[in-house]
């Protein structure tokens, strides 16, 4: 399933992004070097290479001087990254975004979505394992307040074959399209 949505070698872009400086711009910041935490508030923008996070509030936790976890809050907060130089950006949106740097895991909560080109995946909670390109979504989390979006369903939107750009359509002699998932990949359960 994640191959349909995010069929890209994520590791190559992530490696080059990690070599870039980390820049954070915000209205205010509170740093605690002893605790290894920093909190940024007000129109926060974090960039590192192609990785970009926009949020109203951003909390960073470090471990042994290295960023371990980034938590973003907003209405909504956004995470984007270009997975490879020849691929479209992957854009993740949710009210709460947690990026676990060491595990290379992105956890989206409350009105979550992941978009790449015309491919859209929505749920109340989405967990995306960047390295393995595995994605798991839940329609309604137990913490979702009543009346909010996420009526207990997961939604996936893929473009029709007619909408796919000519350079991405497999030649007529090929029996299977480029984005066909392998049987080993997870798929949502209705």
């Amino acid at each position: 399933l994640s191959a349909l949505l995010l069929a890209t070698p994520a590791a190559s872009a992530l490696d080059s992004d990690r070599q870039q400086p980390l820049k954070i711009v915000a209205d205010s910041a509170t740093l605690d070097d002893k605790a290894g935490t920093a909190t940024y508030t007000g129109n926060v923008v974090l960039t590192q290479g192609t990785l970009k996070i926009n949020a109203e509030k951003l909390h960073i936790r470090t471990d042994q001087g290295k960023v371990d976890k980034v938590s973003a809050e907003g209405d909504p907060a956004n995470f984007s990254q270009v997975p490879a130089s020849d691929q479209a950006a992957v854009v993740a949106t949710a009210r709460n975004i947690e990026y676990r740097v060491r595990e290379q895991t992105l956890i989206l909560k409350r009105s979550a979505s992941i978009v790449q080109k015309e491919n859209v995946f929505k749920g109340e909670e989405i967990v995306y394992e960047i390295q393995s390109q595995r994605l798991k979504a839940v329609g309604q989390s137990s913490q979702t307040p009543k009346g909010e979006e996420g009526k207990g369903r997961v939604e996936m939107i893929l473009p029709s074959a007619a909408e796919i750009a000519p350079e991405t359509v497999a030649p007529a002699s090929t029996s299977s399209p480029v984005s066909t998932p392998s049987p080993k990949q997870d798929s949502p359960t209705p």
Side-chain angles (χ1 to χ4, degrees):
L1 171 63
S2 63
L4 284 172
L5 247 184
L6 310 165
T8 57
S12 63
L14 295 175
D15 290 342
S16 66
D17 285 349
R18 288 183 187 179
Q19 304 305 315
Q20 302 297 317
L22 179 70
K23 179 181 177 182
I24 302 170
V25 179
D27 293 339
S28 64
T30 305
L31 307 172
D32 186 340
D33 282 336
K34 191 173 183 179
T37 62
T39 302
Y40 300 87
T41 56
N43 196 24
V44 184
V45 179
L46 176 149
T47 55
Q48 185 176 29
T50 68
L51 186 149
K52 184 174 182 179
I53 298 175
N54 294 70
E56 284 304 310
K57 185 175 184 178
L58 188 81
H59 183 78
I60 296 177
R61 184 181 73 196
T62 61
D63 185 24
Q64 299 176 0
K66 295 184 180 182
V67 175
D68 183 45
K69 184 170 90 170
V70 178
S71 300
E73 297 175 25
D75 193 16
N78 297 295
F79 173 103
S80 66
Q81 186 170 36
V82 176
S85 60
D86 61 343
Q87 298 290 324
V90 173
V91 179
T93 304
R95 291 187 180 168
N96 300 98
I97 297 175
E98 184 176 306
Y99 177 38
R100 296 180 182 173
V101 178
R102 282 191 201 154
E103 295 90 6
Q104 288 297 289
T105 302
L106 196 59
I107 301 169
L108 311 169
K109 293 182 180 180
R110 299 179 62 214
S111 303
S113 69
I114 294 183
V115 177
Q116 186 178 30
K117 289 187 120 182
E118 296 86 17
N119 300 318
V120 179
F121 200 85
K122 295 180 181 180
E124 193 57 22
E125 184 174 319
I126 299 173
V127 177
Y128 177 53
E129 297 171 6
I130 297 168
Q131 293 291 352
S132 64
Q133 298 179 340
R134 296 175 66 93
L135 183 135
K136 180 179 180 182
V138 177
Q140 182 94 22
S141 79
S142 59
Q143 290 122 1
T144 304
K146 256 190 167 179
E148 282 200 15
E149 283 187 50
K151 306 290 185 213
R153 310 274 297 173
V154 174
E155 179 181 355
M156 182 171 163
I157 303 169
L158 299 173
S160 70
E163 294 176 3
I164 299 174
E167 64 271 8
T168 61
V169 175
S173 62
T174 303
S175 61
S176 64
V178 174
S179 64
T180 301
S182 69
K184 296 179 183 176
Q185 295 177 341
D186 293 342
S187 62
T189 306

